[in-house]
Amino acid sequence: MVDIRLMAFESAGRIVQAPAVLQGFGMRFLFKIVEWLVVLLVLAIIGVFAWLYFAPPDLIRVGSGYSAKIVCSNVFLAGRDPDEVLAVDVQAPGHPLLKLMSVSVDKEAGTVSAGLFGVLGKSVAVVREGLGCTNVPDGDVAKAKGIAGPVLPSSAPADALWPEGERLEPSQSPDLAAILDDKALTGVGMRAVVVVKDGRIVGERYGEGFDQKTPLLGWSMTKTVNAAILGTLVKDGRIGVDGRNLAKPWDADGRAAISVSDLMAMSSGLEFNEDYGDVTDVTRMLYLEPDMASFAEAKPLAGEVGAAFSYSSGTAMILSRLWQEALGDPQQAIGWPRKALFDPLGMRSAVLETDERGTFVGSSYLYATAHDWARFGQFLLEDGRWDGKEILPAGFVTWMREVAPASNGTYARGQLWISGPGDEEVSGAGGGWGLPADTYWLEGHDGQSVAIVPSERLVVVRMGLTPSKLNYRPQRLVSALILPLRQPR
């Protein structure tokens, strides 16, 4: 009886223990699965990291190239703090990916490196004497530093009146002061406003951290300066606006019909995607290509030459190469912008940057103070003459201002805008803002503009960091200034 009870007790114990054994086995199995999942996750992270490190997607490389370049130019040309430039100029208004970029500045070596989390998809930009900064997409920093430009001249005389020097006699008009103090008119992110009337600066304002001595990036306003540099060679008879057969690879196809004039008027017919914010032709050219002009030249025709308007930074790069090659000597070409234009106009701060191979980035990269941007605007107002001297051929600025036939009245032949910023869909200059019909513009990314109003003898420079999504229009500012400036000062 005892044995039966004992056997029953032992059987019951085994029955009770069985679920516990199974439960322990299940837990060990679950832990093993979790352990393997963790291993797989770690391996996946290592694999993704290795992929991003050794073969980063072009979007990351564009982001790091942009970050390195903008920080480099602002640190070495404008003397700004790199962390501020990264946070304010690069990350705040840009693609979300840019918020993950970190930069490292080596002032002794003159380089800035940038990458995702500081290490992935790394890009390097380098500063060069007289030429500002350039990206180095192929990584050969030593070779890139072998190109140098002319040393910048000393500052303009502080005691001479602008434009000969930097001294001002500003207008005492309270109406003008009220306009320049109106933040709705000068716009969010304003960094500089300079107003020139009858050849003299009558008023100016600067954003916090910026002043008369701060070089500011003009972005696509550079295209107009590049066109003027080309014009100096037209004057010398070294290049003509009707010239064709501009590149040897073009001789075998329809691109041979493209003229300098077609390129200037953004009517070349060449394929080029100018969209920003992703990997497109323009971002690839600016941040992934050591030879930007060759990249643009290689584009096929996408339309009839001269028949369709297509805004393209690539065509501006081709123009840069054309005028540099027209000089015949690479070193002479490197010094030409300063010799032929900047020095005669007193644009002492102006630095036109090149790509890695030494072609000027005539599409995008001119840094100059607001006073020097105003000098260039006044130079156009004076029809290409300065201090009584003819810098551009007689009638060249008039030709530059002629409507580009394919542009529907919005763009001019010489890399100038007839419509104001954001008004490209409106034919003509007024655009509903009440501006004189002869108004024309230099326009650049993120709110850069120079308005030129010949009938009013007026030039208005407005520089800033104002993304287009904010819908700021400098037309309101220029329109508000006209009437007060007609009054005796």
Side-chain angles (χ1 to χ4, degrees), residues 26-169:
M27 289 300 293
R28 287 194 300 274
F29 182 70
L30 180 61
F31 285 142
K32 185 64 69 174
I33 291 175
V34 171
E35 183 179 296
W36 277 106
L37 287 175
V38 170
V39 170
L40 289 174
L41 180 60
V42 170
L43 290 175
I45 292 173
I46 292 173
V48 170
F49 184 90
W51 167 56
L52 293 177
Y53 186 84
F54 292 107
D58 286 344
L59 182 60
I60 293 178
R61 294 176 59 219
V62 165
S64 65
Y66 174 71
S67 301
K69 169 65 181 62
I70 296 302
V71 171
C72 184
S73 294
N74 277 279
V75 167
F76 290 105
L77 291 181
R80 296 178 60 202
D81 177 74
D83 293 331
E84 178 198 15
V85 175
L86 178 65
V88 176
D89 293 49
V90 175
Q91 295 176 334
H95 192 284
L97 183 70
L98 295 173
K99 298 187 186 300
L100 304 177
M101 293 291 168
S102 296
V103 299
S104 175
V105 178
D106 187 335
K107 290 193 175 182
E108 184 175 342
T111 60
V112 175
S113 60
L116 192 70
F117 306 116
V119 294
L120 302 177
K122 288 187 72 172
S123 293
V124 178
V126 59
V127 66
R128 301 185 285 192
E129 180 68 48
L131 296 175
C133 288
T134 184
N135 286 105
V136 189
D138 64 10
D140 194 340
V141 173
K143 184 177 179 181
K145 294 194 78 167
I147 301 175
V151 177
L152 291 183
S154 58
S155 301
D159 57 346
L161 196 61
W162 188 95
E164 294 78 21
E166 297 297 338
R167 183 170 62 85
L168 305 183
E169 292 181 353

Side-chain angles (χ1 to χ4, degrees), residues 169-231:
E169 292 181 353
S171 168
Q172 300 305 308
S173 166
D175 292 335
L176 175 60
I179 292 168
L180 295 180
D181 289 332
D182 187 334
K183 294 183 178 179
L185 291 176
T186 59
V188 175
M190 180 273 287
R191 291 181 170 178
V193 171
V194 175
V195 181
V196 181
K197 176 70 172 180
D198 295 327
R200 298 295 182 188
I201 293 179
V202 295
E204 61 181 0
R205 293 292 185 275
Y206 293 93
E208 184 178 354
F210 300 87
D211 59 27
Q212 295 177 356
K213 297 180 180 180
T214 308
L216 298 166
L217 176 59
W219 284 111
S220 284
M221 297 201 304
T222 306
K223 291 178 172 69
T224 312
V225 179
N226 194 48
I229 295 170
L230 186 145

